[in-house]
Each structure stands twice: as structure tokens, then as C-alpha cells.
């Protein structure tokens, strides 16, 4: 190997390099004064270059600028996460609203119905037709309502003495006063106020009531007495819908 | 790997000076170096989950800095466009200067010598001298094979010494064809 190649190899060497790999170079430096001089100059020059590299401007505000930029990034990310969470919550909120609507609306309707029933119990309307003729009363009632002049079979035993037009939850309705029980009256409503055909008892301030439906119409049995008295009356009359 | 904000802020405090120094010698511009350092930390924060070992954080940050540097120069900025006045200003007493008794002329000469080198040689050379990283660390930061880094560094050092009128032998100077011709 000639000096030129050894001098090229000098540039691959650095302090801490694997000495074995550079042993041929060091052997040559031991026998070539010119190359040894160049190597010494190279090493010295390298040290000077290193020192020069360490000389560069200060940037006193750089650290605070980076930290402030990072804080901004984090704030933006937090905002993004909040928006994302809001979007994720939107279906939940919508579901809650639906549940509230579905759950609360019937409650509100029922409260309104109760108030109207209470009003009918405390202030019964003036009868517009006074007769005990069941057929005549039912035909009169059928004219005010939509549907046939008939009652469910479980009301067959009940006799009436008069009727009046009323309104329940904005639906057309007729109130029939019972003949043999002054405290009782029947409201026939031209709408379905309950989803099933079971009795729904209500205790209002001046009496009790029982609501049921036959699918098309709803019936409210009003009674100026306790709930027990109402049930006793219903049993007596065979009202077991 | 989860890296908390507090840990990352500590890295900023610990390594911002190093990254700024490397960027300064890569770009020759204090302004560009500040911009690069900031961008490198911002990108590092966004991709902090890609760090595999805490011990490798320095090389990881330098690698991101190198990536930002490539992005910056792909966007059309090049070292050749930096006015010499800025380089001189950066090396003069006009700004607060981190100096260890280095001659201002040496600093300017180094800037000019680096300016003549292409990026392939300048980037590893700065890492080699500035931070004295091992060949392996430089290779990892630049995403290059170890052999490539060693050969580029050997050549870059020859060119640098030749440019600084160092101890390069005439035969070597002839062999590399002179720095200005590169």
C-alpha cells in the first residue's frame, strides 16, 4: 500500500476507532515520517474543527417558544377530543331525548286526563237528554260520536237516565248518568286513551274512576265515592272488561 | 410506548440546544435552525409513540430533525440562498454567541466550507464533529447503512480539510478533484 492510500485511510480513523482495523495504518505511520506528520496535523486540525463547531449563536427564547407551541398543540388536541366526545355523545343525547319524549308524554297525557276526570266528578255537566230509554240514549250518543249505538257486553246490566256531551283530551265524548246509582256515570270517549284493555283505576279528589278501552273507544266509569265502593259497584253490575 | 407531556417537556429542555446546533451547521442560518428545531420537536411530539426505546431518544430526535431538514429544502429553500450576511451575523457578536475562544474567521471559514459540500456529505459531517456521535448513531439518525456513512464521512472529512487548507496531501487533493469541483 502506498502513502496516498494510507493518507485516505487517515480520514476514516477517529479517536476510539477499532485499533485493530487501523493497525496497518499505525504500522505505516511508525515507518513514514511524512505520513506521521500529516496524521498529526490532521488530528490537530480535527480538534480545531470540533472547537469551531461548538461555537454557534445562542437562541435564548427557543426553548420557551417550543414549549409554548407544544402547549398550543395539546390545547388543540384537547379541543378536538372534546368535539369528538360531543359527536360521540350526540346519539346518546338523541336517544335520551326519545326516551324522555316517549316516557314523559304519556305521563303528561295521563295527568291531563286525570284533571279532566276530576273536573267531571266535581262538576258534572247538565244533562242534555233526560230519558231512561236505553236505546234512545245510545242512539243519541251515537250521533254525537262516531260508531255504532252499542255498548260492550259487560255494560249490559247498566241502566241510564240521561246524557250530556263532554270533551275528554279534545276528543268527542258523551257522559251517561246511571239510573240506579246516583253516584255513578259513564263517559264514552271516541278515542283510545289506554293501550290495553285492562282497568286503570284512578283516585281523584272527589271520587274515583276506572278507565278501560275496547280497542276503538274508551270508557271511564266515574264514581263519587272511594275506590273500594267503585269496585264493589262494578262487581255488582258485572263490569269485568 | 407512552410518553407523558412532562417527560417530553424535559426532553425539550435537554435536547433543544443540541438540535439547534446541528440545524445551525446544517443550514448555516440561525433563523432556519430555530424553525427546524421547533418543527422537529412538534413532529416528534405528534409521533412520540414511534419511539421504541427511551435510551434512543437523542438519535430519534436527530432523525426527525434530518427529516424536517429534507422537507424544508424540498420546499425550495436551499443553503445556497442564505445570504452570507446572515451567516456572518450569526457568527459575529451581533447576537449572543456561544463561543469557546474560537476565532470568528475560523467560524466563517467553516460555514463557507460546509456550504460547498453537498447535503449527502454535510449532514453526516456535522453530526460527526458537532456531537461526536458514533458511526452507528449517525447511520441510524440518517437512515443509512453503516458502510455508506463511513465512506461518506471519510470523503467529507477529506473535502472539509482540503477546503480549510488543512493537512491534506497534494495527492489526496488531486484524487478528490478539489472541493470546488464537487
Amino acid at each position: 500500500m502506498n502513502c496516498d492510500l494510507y493518507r485516505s485511510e487517515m480520514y476514516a480513523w477517529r479517536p476510539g476507532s477499532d485499533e485493530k482495523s487501523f493497525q496497518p495504518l499505525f504500522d505505516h505511520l511508525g515507518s513514514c515520517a511524512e505520513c506521521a506528520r500529516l496524521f498529526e496535523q490532521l488530528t490537530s486540525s480535527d480538534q480545531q474543527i470540533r472547537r469551531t463547531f461548538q461555537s454557534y449563536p445562542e437562541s435564548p427564547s427557543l426553548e420557551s417558544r417550543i414549549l409554548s407551541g407544544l402547549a398550543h398543540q395539546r390545547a388543540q388536541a384537547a379541543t378536538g377530543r372534546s368535539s369528538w366526545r360531543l359527536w360521540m355523545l350526540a346519539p346518546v343525547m338523541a336517544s335520551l331525548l326519545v326516551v324522555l319524549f316517549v316516557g314523559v308524554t304519556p305521563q303528561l297525557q295521563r295527568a291531563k286526563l286525570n284533571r279532566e276526570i276530576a273536573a267531571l266528578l266535581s262538576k258534572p255537566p247538565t244533562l242534555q237528554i233526560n230519558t231512561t230509554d236505553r236505546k234512545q240514549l245510545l242512539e243519541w250518543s251515537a250521533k254525537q260520536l262516531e260508531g255504532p249505538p252499542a255498548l260492550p257486553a259487560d255494560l249490559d246490566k247498566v241502566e241510564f237516565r240521561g246524557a250530556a256531551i263532554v270533551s275528554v283530551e279534545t276528543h268527542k265524548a258523551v257522559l251517561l248518568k246511571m239510573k240506579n246509582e246516583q253516584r255513578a256515570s259513564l263517559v264514552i270517549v271516541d278515542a283510545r286513551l289506554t293501550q290495553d284493555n285492562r282497568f286503570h283505576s284512578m283516585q281523584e279528589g272527589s271520587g274515583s274512576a276506572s278507565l278501560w278501552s275496547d280497542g276503538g273507544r274508551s270508557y271511564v266509569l266515574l264514581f263519587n265515592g272511594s275506590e273500594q265502593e267503585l269496585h264493589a259497584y262494578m262487581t255488582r253490575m258485572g263490569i269485568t272488561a | 410506548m407512552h410518553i407523558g407531556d412532562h417527560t417530553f417537556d424535559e426532553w425539550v429542555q435537554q435536547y433543544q440546544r443540541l438540535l439547534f446546533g446541528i440545524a445551525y451547521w446544517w443550514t448555516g442560518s440561525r433563523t432556519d435552525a430555530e424553525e427546524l428545531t421547533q418543527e422537529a420537536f412538534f413532529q416528534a411530539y405528534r409521533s412520540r409513540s414511534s419511539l421504541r426505546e427511551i435510551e434512543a431518544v437523542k438519535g430519534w430526535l436527530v432523525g426527525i430533525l434530518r427529516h424536517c431538514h429534507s422537507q424544508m429544502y424540498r420546499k425550495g429553500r436551499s443553503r445556497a440562498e442564505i445570504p452570507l450576511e446572515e451567516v456572518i451575523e450569526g457568527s459575529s457578536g451581533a447576537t449572543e454567541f456561544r463561543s469557546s475562544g474560537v476565532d470568528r474567521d475560523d467560524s466563517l471559514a467553516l460555514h463557507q466550507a460546509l456550504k460547498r459540500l453537498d447535503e449527502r456529505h454535510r449532514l453526516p459531517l456535522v453530526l460527526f464533529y458537532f456531537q461526536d456521535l458514533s458511526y452507528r448513531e449517525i447511520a441510524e439518525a440518517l437512515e443509512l447503512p453503516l458502510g455508506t456513512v463511513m465512506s461518506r464521512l471519510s470523503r467529507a472529512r477529506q473535502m472539509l480539510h482540503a477546503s480549510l487548507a488543512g493537512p491534506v496531501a497534494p495527492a489526496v487533493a488531486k484524487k478528490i478533484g478539489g472541493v470546488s469541483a464537487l
Side-chain angles (χ1 to χ4, degrees), chain B residues 4 9 16 30 44-45 61 63 78 83-84 89 98 101 111 130 153:
Chain B
D9 288 351
Q16 57 90 15
R30 175 183 166 169
Y45 181 74
L61 286 171
S78 76
L84 187 61
E89 187 269 339
R98 180 186 169 122
H111 271 295
F130 178 75
L153 268 175

Side-chain angles (χ1 to χ4, degrees), chain A residues 99-193:
Chain A
V99 167
L100 277 173
F101 183 77
V102 170
V104 167
T105 303
Q107 295 294 327
L108 292 173
Q109 283 178 335
R110 178 55 60 90
K112 188 183 176 193
L113 177 63
N114 287 358
R115 282 196 302 274
E116 289 180 353
I117 287 170
L120 288 172
L121 279 165
S122 59
K123 288 184 182 175
T126 307
L127 296 178
Q128 291 168 285
I129 178 169
N130 286 289
T131 176
T132 54
D133 185 334
R134 182 184 174 96
K135 187 181 174 190
Q136 189 184 351
L137 270 176
L138 292 181
E139 282 177 352
W140 182 87
S141 299
K143 282 180 189 171
Q144 318 309 320
L145 307 172
E146 292 172 9
L151 287 175
D154 50 344
L155 288 168
D156 281 352
K157 282 189 182 175
V158 182
E159 292 181 275
F160 305 102
R161 59 182 172 87
I165 300 168
V166 292
S167 173
V168 175
E169 284 193 357
T170 71
H171 302 295
K172 288 180 188 172
V174 169
L175 182 142
L176 297 160
K177 289 295 285 182
M178 272 48 161
K179 183 182 172 186
N180 300 320
E181 176 54 84
Q182 297 291 319
R183 296 176 294 173
S185 52
L186 177 72
V187 180
I188 307 168
V189 187
D190 225 358
R192 186 164 189 172
L193 301 179

Side-chain angles (χ1 to χ4, degrees), chain A residues 19-60:
Chain A
E19 297 299 324
K20 281 184 184 172
S21 308
F22 291 93
Q23 196 54 50
L25 171 66
F26 289 114
D27 290 345
H28 175 73
L29 294 178
S31 61
C32 178
E34 180 60 16
C35 283
R37 187 185 62 80
L38 283 172
F39 184 71
E40 196 180 323
Q41 282 185 358
L42 173 66
T43 310
S44 165
S45 180
D46 256 1
Q47 286 172 352
Q48 178 60 32
I49 290 169
R50 276 200 176 79
R51 278 199 298 275
T52 308
F53 264 111
Q54 291 307 316
S55 161
Y56 58 96
E58 294 285 350
S59 181

